Amino acid sequence: MDVRLIKPGGVSAHAEDELPALLARDDGIVWVDIATCDPAAVTALRDAFGFHPLALRDASVRNRVPKIHPYPGHVFVILHAPHFGARGHVHYIELDQFIGARYLVTIHGPVNPAVPPDVPLRQTRDVLRRIESGRFTPASGFELSYAIVSSISRLQETLVEDVTAEVWRLEQRVTAGHLGNPEQFLEELFQARHGLLAVRTMAALGGAIYGRMVTLPRAAVPPEALHLVTDVVDQFDRVRTVADGEREYLQGVIEFYKARTDTKMTIAAERLAVIAAITLPITALSSVYGMNLIVNDKTQVPHLVAVLLLMAVMSATLLGWAKRQGWW
């Protein structure tokens, strides 16, 4: 548990047992950042802040959907940030927040063991570096939370841009016909669609959560913080809109690929049918003369040559006719 006091003069680190004294002060913002919410952290938060037991329970387990619960004097929010793992899998990185006028508690939820341990802490550490460098000094817990959530929305937007670059490369391969292994190409298409859908879902649900926050009683969200909440809604809506547009674009690429593949299969079937029609006279004559034109010392060579020429002429005639019909 990292406990910090943020004042216009800078940020200072404090011990956990100093929390009651820090909350009693009327200067600065108290920021508590918890990497893992274990029972000891739950006890410390309950004793220092008096948070609701249900909110503390949600903060200590993994939540698969965002949530928001208003309480007198603060709001409890659960959000997710994306992280692209191996083979295109998108991990949901949970961030829980208790947002008050003079404090912010950020809790990093449990993550998949495949996710590097520093990934869940990136957004909070980026904001901390800005505070330590003097480039950012929040005036309230809502303003500090706004900086962290804005970092999450920028991450979502960056990932949409990365997937878009991959979609463009896939489209170029489709139009140029350089698909390589078809199974691998399809896997890349579906990985891109999965990434866009996952980020789009996170942004849409995040926007819905903060949209709900706008309507909360003023006892939970002070009026001076409403413009920050509204801006977060706009950020998430922008990411969702961009992801929707790129997903539709990718769907067009997939449909073009399917149409091109279906066309190739149709052409191949037509050519196989023409080949079958061309070789049909050969099959017919072979079935009639096969037993009478056995190649040995008794073979009637002139007769054999005449039959072979007849087969060639009939096949050539059928091939010419197929070309005139545009089937070959």
Side-chain angles (χ1 to χ4, degrees):
M1 178 183 294
D2 296 325
V3 179
R4 299 180 179 88
L5 179 65
I6 305 170
K7 299 191 298 183
V11 55
S12 56
H14 297 268
E16 179 183 323
D17 56 9
E18 296 181 69
L19 265 176
L22 293 174
L23 292 172
R25 297 173 58 166
D26 58 1
D27 62 328
I29 306 300
V30 178
W31 181 13
V32 179
D33 190 43
I34 302 175
T36 302
C37 193
D38 53 19
V42 170
T43 301
L45 294 177
R46 182 192 61 208
D47 294 343
F49 294 91
F51 292 146
H52 196 281
L54 293 179
L56 291 173
R57 184 201 64 185
D58 285 343
S60 60
V61 299
R62 188 173 186 180
N63 298 273
R64 290 168 175 79
V65 294
K67 297 180 182 179
I68 180 171
H69 294 292
Y71 297 97
H74 70 276
V75 180
F76 176 59
V77 180
I78 298 175
L79 290 177
H80 293 100
H83 172 68
F84 280 15
R87 298 182 59 82
H89 179 68
V90 180
H91 297 281
Y92 281 58
I93 309 301
E94 182 178 335
L95 177 67
D96 305 334
Q97 301 176 86
F98 292 90
I99 313 171
R102 289 198 55 256
Y103 63 81
L104 174 68
V105 178
T106 51
I107 302 173
H108 304 275
V111 295
N112 191 307
V115 177
D118 65 311
V119 169
L121 307 175
R122 286 178 181 174
Q123 276 66 52
T124 52
R125 287 180 176 175
D126 287 346
V127 173
L128 177 60
R129 281 192 291 268
R130 291 172 55 198
I131 296 173
E132 291 175 336
S133 65
R135 292 180 291 130
F136 173 56
T137 303
S140 68
F142 283 90
E143 190 172 340
L144 177 57
S145 171
Y146 168 79
I148 297 172
V149 176
S150 294
S151 181
I152 291 177
S153 72
R154 286 194 297 271
L155 172 63
Q156 294 174 349
E157 193 168 11
T158 299
L159 291 180
V160 171
E161 184 176 352
D162 292 342
V163 176
T164 299
E166 179 63 21
V167 171
W168 286 5
R169 286 192 291 269
L170 293 171
E171 184 202 26
Q172 291 173 357
R173 289 170 60 184
V174 171
T175 55
H178 305 311
L179 303 180
N181 186 328
E183 292 184 1
Q184 179 62 30
F185 184 76
L186 280 175
E187 182 71 16
E188 293 176 15
L189 281 174
F190 291 129
Q191 285 178 4
R193 186 167 68 174
H194 168 66
L196 287 173
L197 181 60
V199 177
R200 188 264 180 206
T201 301
M202 292 182 198
L205 294 178
I209 290 298
Y210 272 81
R212 172 78 177 96
M213 194 183 297
V214 175
T215 65
L216 293 179
R218 297 299 170 258
V221 181
E224 59 271 18
L226 286 179
H227 72 285
L228 300 176
V229 177
T230 303
D231 188 71
V232 169
V233 174
D234 180 69
Q235 292 181 43
F236 282 132
D237 283 347
R238 184 173 66 250
V239 174
R240 177 186 56 81
T241 301
V242 173
D244 278 340
E246 294 303 331
R247 192 159 58 102
E248 291 181 6
Y249 182 76
L250 175 59
Q251 186 62 34
V253 175
I254 294 175
E255 291 176 359
F256 179 54
Y257 169 73
K258 290 173 60 179
R260 185 164 188 167
T261 302
D262 291 344
T263 301
K264 287 184 177 180
M265 292 295 295
T266 301
I267 293 174
E270 290 177 350
R271 290 183 176 178
L272 288 174
V274 171
I275 291 173
I278 292 173
T279 57
L280 181 60
I282 298 176
T283 305
L285 288 175
S286 297
S287 64
V288 174
Y289 285 95
M291 298 303 296
N292 300 320
L293 294 174
I294 298 176
V295 180
N296 51 35
D297 54 350
K298 298 181 180 180
T299 300
Q300 300 178 14
V301 176
H303 194 181
L304 175 61
V305 172
V307 171
L308 292 176
L309 287 175
L310 178 61
M311 290 180 179
V313 170
M314 294 177 68
S315 296
T317 302
L318 286 173
L319 179 60
W321 176 78
K323 286 185 175 181
R324 287 193 299 271
Q325 299 298 319
W327 296 348
W328 187 267

